[in-house]
Amino acid sequence: MKIARMTICALMLAAFSAPAAYADLVLPWLEYRTGPYSPSGIPTADGFEDYLTLINERDGGVGGELIRVVKCETGYNTAKGVECYEQTKGEGALVYQPLSTGITYQLIPKVTADQIPLHSMGYGRTAAADGTVFEYVFNFPANYWDGASIAVNHILDLNGGNIEGKKISLVYHNSAYGKEPIRTLEKLAEKHGYTLSLYPVDAPGQEQKSQWLDIRREQPDYVLLWGWGVMNAAAVTEAANIRFPMENFIGVWWSGSENDVLPVGDRAHGYKALALHNVGSDFPLFDDLRKHVIDTGKFAGDGTSVGSVLYNRGMYGALLAVEAIRTAQEIHGVSDITPQMMRDGMEALVITEEKMAELGLPNFGPSFAVSCENHGGPGTGWVSQWDAHNQTWSIISDLITPDKEIIDGLIAEASAQYAEEQNIARRCQ
C-alpha cells in the first residue's frame, strides 16, 4: 500500500513537472508594446503575429506543423531583451527577430554559441551580412550601410550625379543603431565631395531643439534621419519649426511610418523615407488576412494598424521566416525542424517576384537569394514620400542599388576585425 501511494505520488509529481506540450514551430517575438518606443513596436508586432495567425488558420501551419509565437516584453531595453532571450530559447525557438540593434549586438555571440538563427532585417550589426564569419546571423534583404548609400544615391539623382560641395547632416539616435551609418556616410563623402555634419540625439529623443537650431544656422542642403519611436515625430516637428524643406529631409526605413508624420499634421507633407518594401494594403494577401484573421477577431492589437508601414514590416519579417521554414523542411525532408535546420533554410532562401506573387504580395519586396557567403541580400531599397493631404505613403523611386564597392569593402573590413577579435575561423571555403 505504501509502495502504491509512493508510485501514485511519483506519477503525479512527474505529471506536474513535465514540460508542457508545445507546437513544433516556435517563433519568439521580443516585443515592446510599452514605453517611448511602443508607437513603433506595436504595429510591427501586430503585423508579425497576424501573418503567422493567417498561416495557422488558412494553411494549418507550415508543412502540417502549427506555429506558436512566444512573446516577451523588452520595452526596447537591451538588458531586458537578453533576459527575454534566455527565458524563451529553451522552448524550441527557431529564429529570433529582436527589432533592436542594441539587443542584436548582445545576442550575436549567444545565438552563435546556442546555434539558433537571428534575423535582424534592415537593422543590427551590418557586418553580419558576411556569412563566412556570422554563421547564425542574417540581415537580408538590406542593412544600414545599404540604406545610407541608397539615400546618397537618391540625392545624387536629384542633382544630376554631382553633389560636390553640398552639405548633408545626419540626425541620429545616440546609440549603436544611430551610429551604424556614420562610417558609410563618411566614405561616401570622400568619394562624392559633400560635407557631413553629425547631430546625435539622446534617448528617447523627444528633446532636440538645440540640434535643430544648429541645423538652422548651418543650413545644410539635405538632412538624413536615423531615429526610432517618439524621436521621429519630434524630428519632423522640429524640421517643420525651422521651415526646413521636407522634400530634402530623408529618414531611414525605421523613420518612415505613419506614426512619425501624423502628429505633425500638414507640415509633414513631402517628408521622405527609405522603404524596405512596398506600402499600403492593396495586395491580394490582405483579402486573406481580413477573411481569416481580421473579420474573425483573431488579430493582434486593436486591428487599427493593418496595412500601415510598420505592420507591413512585421508581416514581411514573418513571411521570410515562414519561407525559410519551408525551405528547411524541403532540404531536410522533415516538417518538425530544429534551429540548426532553420539556419540551413535561411541560408538557402530564394525569394523571387513569382514567389511573392504566389504569396499574394506582387511587387512588394525585392527578389534575392541568400548564400553561405551572403547573409545580407541585395541591399536594394526605394524612396517613399508622405502625402499629408491624403495621409498616405507612396513609393516615388525605382529600386535603388547601393554603392556595393564601398559597402562590400566596409563589410569585409568589419567582419575580418570581428573574426580576429572572436577567434572565428571563416567558413564557406
Side-chain angles (χ1 to χ4, degrees):
M1 192 69 174
K2 186 180 293 185
I3 295 174
R5 286 198 188 99
M6 289 176 63
T7 302
I8 291 171
C9 289
L11 288 171
M12 291 177 65
L13 180 62
F16 282 113
S17 62
Y22 296 131
D24 290 316
L25 302 175
V26 177
L27 295 180
W29 183 251
L30 307 187
E31 63 184 2
Y32 36 97
R33 292 182 177 273
T34 61
Y37 299 97
S38 59
S40 300
I42 290 172
T44 316
D46 289 351
F48 183 84
E49 293 181 51
D50 284 358
Y51 185 81
L52 298 178
T53 299
L54 171 65
I55 296 301
N56 282 341
E57 295 294 320
R58 184 192 64 189
D59 305 339
V62 188
E65 304 285 349
L66 289 175
I67 296 171
R68 185 169 68 93
V69 178
V70 177
K71 297 180 283 185
C72 186
E73 174 67 36
T74 72
Y76 197 69
N77 177 275
T78 297
K80 180 59 179 173
V82 174
E83 289 178 17
C84 281
Y85 170 79
E86 296 294 345
Q87 291 170 13
T88 58
K89 69 178 183 179
E91 298 197 39
L94 292 179
V95 59
Y96 280 87
Q97 297 189 37
L99 201 66
S100 160
T101 292
I103 297 174
T104 297
Y105 265 68
Q106 293 301 312
L107 291 189
I108 286 174
K110 291 181 176 292
V111 299
T112 303
D114 295 333
Q115 297 186 327
I116 303 173
L118 186 153
H119 182 203
S120 53
M121 183 178 73
Y123 63 94
R125 190 173 197 131
T126 299
D130 184 351
T132 70
V133 173
F134 296 88
E135 183 175 2
Y136 279 86
V137 188
F138 301 79
N139 53 18
F140 54 78
N143 58 59
Y144 288 141
W145 299 351
D146 294 324
S149 181
I150 290 168
V152 171
N153 281 351
H154 176 62
I155 296 172
L156 282 164
D157 289 341
L158 295 176
N159 289 274
N162 182 10
I163 54 175
E164 186 172 359
K166 297 289 186 182
K167 293 189 289 186
I168 298 177
S169 295
L170 173 68
V171 177
Y172 65 95
H173 193 278
N174 194 16
S175 64
Y177 156 55
K179 295 173 184 176
E180 274 284 327
I182 294 175
R183 180 62 178 144
T184 303
L185 291 171
E186 289 172 341
K187 292 290 288 186
L188 291 169
E190 293 173 9
K191 179 173 180 177
H192 297 292
Y194 64 81
T195 301
L196 177 68
S197 54
L198 305 175
Y199 293 93
V201 176
D202 292 332
Q206 291 167 301
E207 179 52 58
Q208 33 185 304
K209 287 187 181 298
S210 62
Q211 288 90 337
W212 285 94
L213 287 174
D214 288 341
I215 289 171
R216 184 172 66 178
R217 284 191 288 268
E218 182 195 0
Q219 294 186 327
D221 298 286
Y222 297 91
V223 174
L224 305 181
L225 174 64
W226 242 257
W228 189 228
V230 294
M231 175 182 166
N232 291 331
V236 178
T237 298
E238 295 298 341
N241 287 344
I242 69 167
R243 298 184 180 180
F244 188 82
M246 284 295 164
E247 65 274 14
N248 292 347
F249 191 14
I250 307 166
V252 68
W253 38 66
W254 300 111
S255 301
S257 75
E258 290 80 2
N259 293 329
D260 304 327
V261 286
L262 284 173
V264 192
D266 289 345
R267 298 192 303 162
H269 184 74
Y271 170 70
K272 295 176 180 177
L274 307 184
L276 273 176
H277 48 73
N278 216 321
V279 296
S281 59
D282 189 19
F283 299 92
L285 176 71
F286 284 89
D287 295 333
D288 284 352
L289 274 169
R290 292 185 185 95
K291 178 181 177 180
H292 295 280
V293 181
I294 309 302
D295 293 345
T296 59
K298 296 175 180 176
F299 52 85
D302 60 10
T304 60
S305 64
V306 176
S308 67
V309 169
L310 290 177
Y311 182 94
N312 287 6
R313 186 76 42 79
M315 184 183 71
Y316 189 35
L319 178 150
L320 294 177
V322 167
E323 294 312 304
I325 290 171
R326 290 193 210 280
T327 304
Q329 290 173 336
E330 293 169 2
I331 291 172
H332 292 282
V334 297
S335 58
D336 184 13
I337 63 170
T338 66
Q340 293 82 9
M341 293 176 183
M342 180 66 171
R343 192 211 67 83
D344 295 342
M346 295 178 72
E347 197 164 82
L349 183 63
V350 177
I351 298 295
T352 63
E353 175 54 30
E354 290 74 19
K355 168 61 71 175
M356 292 298 288
E358 289 173 10
L359 296 173
L361 289 170
N363 303 311
F364 184 83
S367 297
F368 65 93
V370 190
S371 68
C372 182
E373 296 82 5
N374 180 9
H375 283 192
T380 53
W382 295 268
V383 176
S384 62
Q385 189 166 34
W386 177 246
D387 184 335
H389 310 310
N390 296 316
Q391 296 192 346
T392 56
W393 286 98
S394 299
I395 300 296
I396 62 168
S397 75
D398 294 330
L399 197 60
I400 299 174
T401 300
D403 188 329
K404 297 305 287 184
E405 182 180 358
I406 283 182
I407 303 302
D408 290 348
L410 289 171
I411 288 174
E413 178 183 328
S415 62
Q417 180 179 348
Y418 185 84
E420 183 177 356
E421 292 171 352
Q422 302 297 320
N423 195 27
I424 296 173
R426 288 186 180 271
R427 49 194 288 272
C428 314
Q429 304 299 326

